[in-house]
Amino acid sequence: TVRPQRRHSLAAIERHQARMSPTSEEPGTTKSDLNFPDGASPAIVDVGFYIDRISEFSVRDVSWTVDFYIWFRWSGNAVRPGDDLRIVDGSIESMEKEDEYTSGDQHYERYRVVAKITKSFDVSQYPLDEHLLTINVENARYQRYQLLFSPDQSNTNVSSRVRVPAYEVAGSQLIEKPHSYKTTQGDPRLQPNSKATYSQARLGISLQRTGWGYFFKMLQSLYVAVMIALLAMFIKPTNVDPRFGLGIGGLFAAVANSYVTSSLIPDTGVMTLADSVNCLGVWMILLTVIQSTISLYLFEHKGAEMLSRRFDQVSFAVLSAGYVVLNVALPLAAS
C-alpha cells in the first residue's frame, strides 16, 4: 500500500525535472535535435513573462486559465516574434499589444495575454498533490533554426497576488527548449519522415499543498467511521445489534466518503492517495465485522467468555495501532 505512493512521488519529481530541463528528453514526446542545419543563423529573441493572475484552476476539468504579460527584445528585421504566437496545449483567449519600441535595429514588444491551458494533472498523490503548471509559447511562423528564444531570467516573475485555493506558489523557472512535431503537415517541400522543430519558451510554476489540513478535512468522516467501528469491540458479543450495527454503519459512511472524494478529481484508473486511504478504511471496518463474528462464535458456541474478551482487547490494540501507522505512512510516502 505504501510503496506505490512512494514510487508515484519519486516519478513525479523526475517528470518535473525533465520538463524543466533545457536538454533532457521528456517521456512520451518526440525527440528533438538540438543542432542547427549547416549555415543556419537564428535570430536571438529575448523573452520574459510576468504572471499577473491565475483566474481559474480545476483539477477536475483538467484546465487552468492564466493572465500574463510576455515581452520580446531582438535585433534586426528578420523576424516578428509577436506574430503567429501560439500556446502549446492551450488556446489564447485574448492577446493585446500594450507597448512597442524601436531604436535603430533594436526592437521591443510587450503583450498582455489571457490563455486557457489544458493539463492532465497527476492525481496519484491527491489530496497531497503537487503540480507543475507550464506556459509553453512558440512562434508558428519560424522554426528553431530561424528564431531562437533566450530566457529573460532577471525580469521574469510571478506576482505576489497570484492565489490558487488550497495551494501555494513554490517557485517559477523559465527555460528555452526545442519542441518537435513528428509530421510534415503534408508540405510537399519537406522530406518524408522529417519533423519541424520550434524554439519554445517554457515557464514553469510549481504549486504545492499548504499543509495536511485539506487532507484531514477531506478524510475526517472516514476516520470517525473507523473509530466507531473499532469501539464495537468494547460491546459484549451477544449484544448483536450494537456490536454489528456500528461496523455496518461505519461501512456506509466510508463508502459515502469514497464517493465524495472521487467526485473531486477526473475519472482515471489511477489509485490516488485518497483512494488508498478510503480503501484502507473500508477493509479495516470489514475486519472489525469479521472480528466481531469470531468473538461471538467464541463466546456463544464455544463458551469461552474470557477468551472472547481477551480476543477483543488484543484485536482492538493491534487493529488500532496498525491503522494509525498506515495512515501516517501513506501521506508521508506521498509527500
Side-chain angles (χ1 to χ4, degrees):
T1 304
V2 174
R3 284 178 179 174
Q5 290 299 326
R6 188 56 184 166
R7 286 198 300 267
H8 287 312
S9 178
L10 295 176
I13 294 174
E14 291 179 1
R15 284 197 307 272
H16 292 175
Q17 290 176 343
R19 197 173 304 163
M20 295 310 299
S21 170
T23 57
S24 297
E25 293 183 31
E26 298 177 58
T29 62
T30 302
K31 183 179 181 180
S32 298
D33 189 358
L34 299 177
N35 300 319
F36 297 116
D38 294 338
S41 180
I44 307 299
V45 178
D46 293 334
V47 59
F49 293 78
Y50 183 77
I51 307 303
D52 190 56
R53 186 168 62 115
I54 296 179
S55 57
E56 295 179 0
F57 178 87
S58 175
V59 175
R60 172 71 181 175
D61 297 330
V62 294
S63 66
W64 62 293
T65 302
V66 59
D67 188 337
F68 65 95
Y69 297 92
I70 184 171
W71 58 86
F72 306 100
R73 294 192 308 265
W74 75 99
S75 301
N77 300 311
V79 297
R80 299 287 298 178
D83 297 344
D84 292 328
L85 209 65
R86 67 182 172 199
I87 305 291
V88 180
D89 295 328
S91 58
I92 296 177
E93 298 193 340
S94 67
M95 181 172 175
E96 178 184 358
K97 182 186 286 187
E98 288 203 334
D99 194 14
E100 64 177 324
Y101 170 76
T102 299
S103 177
D105 66 344
Q106 302 295 313
H107 304 275
Y108 169 80
E109 291 180 351
R110 185 178 72 246
Y111 296 84
R112 185 183 182 97
V113 181
V114 177
K116 186 170 185 177
I117 301 174
T118 301
K119 176 176 174 60
S120 180
F121 293 99
D122 179 11
V123 294
S124 59
Q125 297 167 273
Y126 183 85
L128 294 179
D129 47 328
E130 300 178 358
H131 301 292
L132 178 65
L133 307 181
T134 58
I135 305 174
N136 309 314
V137 175
E138 297 175 358
N139 189 289
R141 182 179 299 181
Y142 309 104
Q143 293 195 40
R144 194 168 182 262
Y145 68 87
Q146 299 169 309
L147 182 152
L148 180 65
F149 284 127
S150 176
D152 184 0
Q153 304 280 8
S154 58
N155 295 302
T156 295
N157 213 333
V158 177
S159 172
S160 58
R161 299 187 306 276
V162 172
R163 294 288 186 273
V164 179
Y167 296 89
E168 63 180 5
V169 178
S172 63
Q173 182 183 359
L174 177 62
I175 64 169
E176 185 279 334
K177 192 161 189 171
H179 181 219
S180 296
Y181 294 85
K182 193 168 54 177
T183 178
T184 63
Q185 298 178 333
D187 192 336
R189 296 168 296 180
L190 301 177
Q191 295 294 325
N193 300 321
S194 64
K195 54 188 177 183
T197 301
Y198 295 86
S199 179
Q200 184 178 104
R202 178 177 298 182
L203 178 68
I205 305 170
S206 298
L207 297 183
Q208 295 180 348
R209 288 288 183 182
T210 53
W212 285 22
Y214 184 68
F215 176 83
F216 289 115
K217 176 182 177 181
M218 175 181 292
L219 298 168
Q220 61 181 344
S221 59
L222 172 69
Y223 292 145
V224 171
V226 174
M227 290 173 62
I228 290 174
L230 288 170
L231 289 176
M233 298 177 193
F234 292 96
I235 300 174
K236 193 175 181 179
T238 52
N239 295 332
V240 177
D241 288 345
R243 177 80 187 220
F244 287 89
L246 291 179
I248 300 302
L251 184 61
F252 279 106
V255 171
N257 188 82
S258 178
Y259 176 79
V260 170
T261 56
S262 296
S263 67
L264 301 175
I265 58 176
D267 295 328
T268 65
V270 176
M271 190 75 170
T272 68
L273 172 62
D275 292 331
S276 296
V277 175
N278 277 313
C279 184
L280 179 64
V282 169
W283 280 100
M284 184 60 63
I285 294 173
L286 176 61
L287 284 177
T288 65
V289 175
I290 294 174
Q291 192 277 340
S292 293
T293 303
I294 298 173
S295 183
L296 176 62
Y297 175 79
L298 293 174
F299 189 97
E300 195 169 58
H301 293 276
K302 292 294 185 180
E305 182 176 345
M306 292 302 298
L307 178 61
S308 172
R309 181 60 183 162
R310 186 61 177 166
F311 179 57
D312 287 344
Q313 294 172 345
V314 173
S315 296
F316 178 82
V318 172
L319 293 180
S320 299
Y323 187 68
V324 170
V325 168
L326 281 175
N327 274 275
V328 172
L330 276 170
L332 286 177
S335 60

